[in-house]
């Protein structure tokens, strides 16, 4: 494939990290994702969080009902459970039997709706033991929460103080380091010694591939570019671009598209989260094209995720064209609106 094509075909991608919320707003965001992706891992940080198989089944039912309402038949939600200090080994085994795809570790207080998260991983030994034994992946929000740690260092400190000890204790546990944002995380995952086992991977968002932390303060405060983990320096963005476009199967697509109503973002204490779902594939294509690596997009977007999760790759093909798409200033979100990433600007690639 030439490195500057005007059209590319790829096996339909999946989104390995997505927030769609619940209730009235869900159908508005679900449609954007289902237009592009065949499957998505649905994050469990609802209020209250999805901590049991029964809650996940009920949530899945509400998603299916919305898909039906929207007339969307080709999209599959993949369900996760929210790990807590009290998650039992029995719940882990039940989750496996019921098709739950992973458990999400939110250190308590790390991000949106994470108050019920894990206070100390030592409480989770039985659950982690069971996960390791049955091949249930742990999806980690990789940031420490202590107020003494600078917000820009929280991911790097998490690697040294939580992730590395966790991997030492449970060497066969499958771990996805979610939405990585730093050179340290990119290199940690790239260089991790696994004895040939498929035990570590990372997802990368479009905003962390396309923007550095200047984007939060460009000409004034930009709440719609604020997410967690927060955007980092340019050297970190370059390290993410490097691993994402390298063809290394440990790195794959996860948008972390995280909808919040306009008013909740443009506020004295604005919520964290970028809404990238509207044209996420166009954003990723831009990032890969920026370094002449569009030929590596299909592996990152469509192959490495299902391979890590031991699921079949999709078979349907999609086409992306180098056709600028104007992004609306706002989109409907229940009875409010949402400001998508790159609102009022254009994205160079779009889905045909
Ligand atoms: O920016 C974020 N928003 N990061 C997260 O980890 C959670 C997410 C959300 O749910 O809004
Ligand atoms: Zn997330």
């Amino acid at each position: 494939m030439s490195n500057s094509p005007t059209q590319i075909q790829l096996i339909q991608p999946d989104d390995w990290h997505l927030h769609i919320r619940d209730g009235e707003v869900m159908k508005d965001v679900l449609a954007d994702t289902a237009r592009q992706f065949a499957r998505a891992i649905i994050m469990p940080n609802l209020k209250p969080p999805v901590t049991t198989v029964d809650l996940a089944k009920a949530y899945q039912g509400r998603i299916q009902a919305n898909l039906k309402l929207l007339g969307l038949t080709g999209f599959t939600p993949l369900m996760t459970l929210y790990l807590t200090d009290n998650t039992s080994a029995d719940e882990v085994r039940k989750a496996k039997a019921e098709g739950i795809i992973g458990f999400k570790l939110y250190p308590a207080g790390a991000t949106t709706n994470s108050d019920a998260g894990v206070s100390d991983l030592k409480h989770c030994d039985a659950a982690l033991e069971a996960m390791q034994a049955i091949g249930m992946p742990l999806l980690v929000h990789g940031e420490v929460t202590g107020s003494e740690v600078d917000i820009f260092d929280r991911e790097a400190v998490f690697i040294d103080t939580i992730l590395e000890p966790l991997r030492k204790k449970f060497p066969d546990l499958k771990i996805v380091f979610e939405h990585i944002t730093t050179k340290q995380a990119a290199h940690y995952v790239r260089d991790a010694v696994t004895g040939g086992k498929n035990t570590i991977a990372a997802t990368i968002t479009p905003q962390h591939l396309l923007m550095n932390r200047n984007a939060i303060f460009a000409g004034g405060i930009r709440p719609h570019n604020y997410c967690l983990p927060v955007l980092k320096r340019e050297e970190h963005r370059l390290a993410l671009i490097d691993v994402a476009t390298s063809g290394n199967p440990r790195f794959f697509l996860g948008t972390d598209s995280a909808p919040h109503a306009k008013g909740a973002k443009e506020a004295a204490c604005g919520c964290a989260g970028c809404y990238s779902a509207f044209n996420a594939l166009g954003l990723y294509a831009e990032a890969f094209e920026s370094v002449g690596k569009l030929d590596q997009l299909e592996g990152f977007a469509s192959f490495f995720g299902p391979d890590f999760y031991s699921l079949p790759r999709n078979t349907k093909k999609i086409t992306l064209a180098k056709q600028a798409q104007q992004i609306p200033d706002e989109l409907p979100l229940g009875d409010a609106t949402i400001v998508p990433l790159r609102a009022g600007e254009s994205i160079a690639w779009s889905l045909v």
Side-chain angles (χ1 to χ4, degrees), residues 10-18 33 36-37 39-41 176-179 201-206 209 244 248-257 276 280-285 288 296-306 309 318 320:
L10 47 157
I11 290 287
Q12 188 173 21
D14 305 299
D15 186 347
W16 299 96
H17 184 128
L18 177 69
T33 292
Q36 299 164 77
F37 298 97
R39 297 169 286 197
I41 286 189
V176 185
F177 197 165
E178 299 282 1
H179 42 55
T203 56
I204 310 183
T205 77
L209 290 173
N248 184 331
R250 289 185 181 176
F251 300 93
F252 48 83
L253 187 158
T255 63
D256 196 20
S257 180
S276 60
L281 287 179
L283 292 166
Y284 281 110
F288 277 64
Q296 299 292 343
L297 181 60
E298 188 177 40
F300 175 83
S302 312
F303 296 162
F304 305 151
Y309 281 100
I318 59 144
L320 292 174

Side-chain angles (χ1 to χ4, degrees), residues 9-327:
Q9 265 215 339
L10 47 157
I11 290 287
Q12 188 173 21
D14 305 299
D15 186 347
W16 299 96
H17 184 128
L18 177 69
H19 301 266
I20 56 169
R21 314 302 186 204
D22 207 349
E24 261 308 285
V25 305
M26 188 207 294
K27 68 175 185 324
D28 294 326
V29 293
L30 201 48
D32 284 340
T33 292
R35 201 167 53 238
Q36 299 164 77
F37 298 97
R39 297 169 286 197
I41 286 189
I42 308 299
M43 285 295 132
N45 63 331
L46 302 182
K47 254 182 175 167
V50 182
T51 51
T52 64
V53 174
D54 294 345
L55 287 169
K57 288 268 159 199
Y59 186 27
Q60 187 176 33
R62 297 193 295 279
I63 298 170
Q64 302 289 13
N66 275 300
L67 287 168
K68 199 163 168 201
L69 220 76
L70 291 161
L72 297 166
T73 51
F75 177 78
T76 306
L78 303 170
M79 307 309 292
T80 54
L81 291 191
Y82 187 110
L83 187 71
T84 72
D85 288 351
N86 304 314
T87 304
S88 69
D90 277 347
E91 197 68 25
V92 172
R93 288 186 283 266
K94 182 174 174 192
K96 179 79 176 178
E98 295 289 333
I100 301 295
I101 198 161
F103 277 72
K104 180 72 192 263
L105 164 64
Y106 286 106
T111 188
T112 308
N113 299 345
S114 65
D115 296 347
V118 170
S119 69
D120 191 321
L121 262 183
K122 70 173 188 257
H123 301 303
C124 301
D125 277 357
L128 293 168
E129 194 77 63
M131 290 169 67
Q132 173 172 254
I134 62 179
M136 171 69 80
L138 178 70
L139 285 48
V140 304
H141 182 110
E143 290 191 289
V144 295
T145 54
S147 61
E148 71 287 358
V149 182
D150 190 276
I151 188 167
F152 293 101
D153 299 333
R154 286 179 179 179
E155 187 173 277
V157 173
F158 178 87
I159 296 171
D160 296 336
T161 60
I162 313 258
L163 186 55
E164 179 60 15
L166 174 69
R167 289 189 55 242
K168 283 238 162 68
K169 195 164 175 188
F170 300 100
D172 289 335
L173 180 63
K174 281 176 87 109
I175 297 174
V176 185
F177 197 165
E178 299 282 1
H179 42 55
I180 60 168
T181 64
T182 57
K183 181 171 68 182
Q184 288 91 335
H187 294 175
Y188 181 82
V189 172
R190 183 193 65 189
D191 300 336
V193 177
T194 62
K197 291 183 184 150
N198 215 2
T199 48
I200 190 148
T203 56
I204 310 183
T205 77
Q207 65 267 25
H208 292 100
L209 290 173
L210 288 166
M211 296 189 284
N212 64 37
R213 66 191 196 176
N214 289 340
I216 312 168
F217 308 105
I221 196 144
R222 303 283 183 157
H224 301 290
N225 292 340
Y226 169 60
C227 64
L228 288 172
V230 72
L231 296 172
K232 303 296 193 298
R233 286 177 182 274
E234 180 66 359
E235 63 175 306
H236 297 292
R237 187 187 75 83
L238 292 173
L240 297 177
I241 284 273
D242 192 48
V243 293
T245 64
S246 67
N248 184 331
R250 289 185 181 176
F251 300 93
F252 48 83
L253 187 158
T255 63
D256 196 20
S257 180
H260 293 278
K262 182 178 186 209
K265 295 280 295 172
E266 298 175 6
C269 185
C271 293
C274 295
Y275 186 65
S276 60
F278 186 70
N279 181 7
L281 287 179
L283 292 166
Y284 281 110
E286 269 191 11
F288 277 64
E289 187 186 35
S290 73
V291 288
K293 292 281 185 67
L294 271 174
D295 57 336
Q296 299 292 343
L297 181 60
E298 188 177 40
F300 175 83
S302 312
F303 296 162
F304 305 151
D307 294 354
F308 183 83
Y309 281 100
S310 306
L311 290 170
R313 293 178 179 181
N314 297 317
T315 51
K316 195 179 136 191
K317 290 202 165 162
I318 59 144
T319 303
L320 292 174
K322 189 149 189 190
Q323 236 163 51
Q325 180 182 24
Q326 186 67 23
I327 306 303

